[in-house]
Amino acid sequence: MREKTFHVYVDSHDRSLLLQSLVELKNLLIQQGRYTDCVDELIFKVINAPLKKIKTVYVGGQDE
């Protein structure tokens, strides 16, 4: 059976927050003497992920 693939679309702020969180997790694992291989792979994937511009349409909202 094939594994499911998920796509996550984040803006630049969320991307930097995600990277900071992964680095903090990696540092915590290093302090505990645990392996960091899976976190390293995630950091690598986030850094090398292609940037995709998508158009955002806001529906509703405030009356001006």
Side-chain angles (χ1 to χ4, degrees):
M1 190 165 109
R2 212 171 136 197
E3 290 185 24
K4 290 185 179 180
T5 302
F6 296 95
H7 298 274
V8 178
Y9 296 97
V10 295
D11 61 5
S12 60
H13 178 264
D14 291 338
R15 183 174 180 259
S16 65
L17 185 63
L18 178 62
L19 282 172
Q20 289 174 3
S21 299
L22 287 171
V23 169
E24 286 179 18
L25 177 61
K26 180 179 176 179
N27 290 336
L28 182 66
L29 291 174
I30 289 172
Q31 288 176 354
Q32 295 175 355
R34 296 170 61 187
Y35 292 108
T36 62
D37 298 341
C38 58
V39 179
D40 291 335
E41 288 179 26
L42 283 174
I43 291 172
F44 184 76
K45 286 183 180 183
V46 170
I47 289 174
N48 293 320
L51 298 178
K52 183 175 186 179
K53 294 191 179 200
I54 54 176
K55 186 176 181 180
T56 305
V57 178
Y58 294 100
V59 178
Q62 300 174 354
D63 293 329
E64 292 184 23

